[in-house]
Amino acid sequence: IKHDIRVDSNNVMDLVADYDVVVDGTDNFATRYLLNDACFFNGKPYISAAIYKFEGQLAVFNYQEGPCYRCLYPEPPPANLVPNCAEGGVLGVLPGVMGTIQAMETLKIILDIGDVCSNHLLLYDALGTSFRKMKIKAREDCKLCGENPSIKSVQSIEQVCETVSNEDSILEWDVQRLFKAREEGTSLILLDVREEYELQIASLSEVLHIPMGDINLRYSELPDDLDIVVMCRSGKRSLKVCEQLLSLGFERVYNLRGGILDWSDKIDQSIQKY
């Protein structure tokens, strides 16, 4: 049955109500939150998949009291944090790979066989030909399915996209503090969120490199028991990544004020500026 309409808060509840399983093939966060919320209120499993460059992720939400999408991603990321497909690129066969896995999860639910990927996030690395699973669980403080939910009905697109900026509350390190910490051997993670080509122009040693657009797929690589200092070229992109990490539950996150440009000016002038 084809529905030639744009999904929004006015029609999503009725659309979802007529089906047993919802398989998400959308490409934007607002619609994903709408579908998740509508599935939760209708009691329908929500099979979500996302792709970026050479990587994909998949999970089944709202299944047998398992976590919902908001348990994994409480708030949408800032609009400029995640590049679209035109900016970041997607390997052409990747949607087929993830879509086929979604179809398998759908069959497992309908036939009541196997282990449904409900309490795990499945991560696929196409270049490394590898799969790994990250355990997720329902959050007691989830705004939708938690013990004291604040979301009582499907929100409008405007409400879904409305995020509270944490910029004013983000703590910052200056380059002198970072230099001293590294000199003293302090255990920390220096997270460089620039693109690969930028690292070839100017880079620091002993950094963890995760491009800004990959944070949603790779944040599981970050420890939660060490200080994470996030750096970019000037400190603007890293500030947005700090916001995202805070929304994902990380607490010891700090923005490197001025980025590698400040490092070049005040610490090591041999670092090329660009």
Side-chain angles (χ1 to χ4, degrees):
I1 302 173
K2 182 179 180 180
H3 303 280
D4 191 12
I5 56 176
R6 184 180 181 85
V7 178
D8 60 31
S9 57
N10 296 317
N11 58 34
V12 67
M13 286 292 288
D14 290 336
L15 286 172
V16 167
D18 291 335
Y19 297 91
D20 298 310
V21 181
V22 172
V23 182
D24 181 7
T26 63
D27 65 350
N28 64 87
F29 281 98
T31 307
R32 291 172 189 161
Y33 282 90
L34 279 178
L35 289 172
N36 171 75
D37 296 359
C39 287
F40 174 78
F41 289 120
N42 274 290
K44 312 288 185 179
Y46 170 54
I47 304 177
S48 172
I51 55 177
Y52 181 69
K53 291 186 177 179
F54 304 98
E55 299 178 324
Q57 63 180 39
L58 176 142
V60 179
F61 299 105
N62 306 322
Y63 180 71
Q64 295 184 350
E65 300 184 357
C68 76
Y69 188 77
R70 290 181 182 271
C71 292
L72 181 60
Y73 301 121
E75 301 289 349
N80 60 349
L81 180 62
V82 182
N84 60 35
C85 292
E87 296 169 335
V90 169
L91 186 64
V93 298
L94 188 57
V97 174
M98 302 310 297
T100 300
I101 300 175
Q102 284 181 292
M104 177 58 72
E105 293 302 303
T106 304
L107 291 172
K108 285 157 60 178
I109 291 173
I110 294 173
L111 298 173
D112 193 21
I113 59 174
D115 295 322
V116 175
C117 191
S118 171
N119 294 299
H120 292 85
L121 180 68
L122 180 68
L123 303 171
Y124 173 55
D125 177 2
L127 292 184
T129 319
S130 63
F131 288 91
R132 57 193 177 95
K133 293 171 72 176
M134 181 179 74
K135 190 169 184 179
I136 56 176
K137 61 181 181 179
R139 296 169 57 114
E140 293 181 359
D141 60 347
C142 178
K143 295 180 179 180
L144 181 67
C145 69
E147 294 183 353
N148 297 293
S150 59
I151 299 174
K152 306 293 185 180
S153 62
V154 172
Q155 298 179 320
S156 67
I157 290 286
E158 291 74 22
Q159 288 175 305
V160 169
C161 294
E162 198 176 69
T163 58
V164 178
S165 173
N166 292 319
E167 288 188 8
D168 292 339
S169 61
I170 292 175
L171 299 178
E172 293 191 314
W173 282 25
D174 56 31
V175 292
Q176 290 91 342
R177 179 174 179 180
L178 176 62
F179 176 77
K180 182 179 179 181
R182 285 161 64 96
E183 284 286 296
E184 294 175 349
T186 303
S187 295
L188 58 86
I189 297 296
L190 180 56
L191 174 62
D192 194 326
V193 298
R194 295 176 298 151
E195 298 299 316
E196 182 66 37
Y197 76 89
E198 295 179 275
L199 269 66
Q200 295 176 13
I201 300 172
S203 62
L204 302 183
S205 62
E206 300 179 6
V207 302
L208 173 62
H209 176 228
I210 303 180
M212 181 178 182
D214 290 355
I215 293 295
N216 258 357
L217 291 174
R218 296 178 55 189
Y219 68 84
S220 60
E221 299 176 23
L222 296 169
D224 57 10
D225 59 347
L226 291 176
D227 290 338
I228 301 173
V229 182
V230 187
M231 66 169 289
C232 65
R233 177 177 176 270
S234 65
K236 293 181 179 179
R237 280 174 289 173
S238 54
L239 189 64
K240 295 298 182 182
V241 171
C242 286
E243 283 191 274
Q244 177 68 355
L245 293 177
L246 288 170
S247 73
L248 290 169
F250 290 89
E251 296 179 353
R252 298 169 62 176
V253 177
Y254 307 92
N255 183 48
L256 182 63
R257 187 188 316 123
I260 200 166
L261 292 180
D262 247 23
W263 187 273
S264 177
D265 283 336
K266 301 173 181 177
I267 304 297
D268 183 359
Q269 295 183 3
S270 69
I271 296 291
Q272 183 175 343
K273 299 176 71 173
Y274 65 100

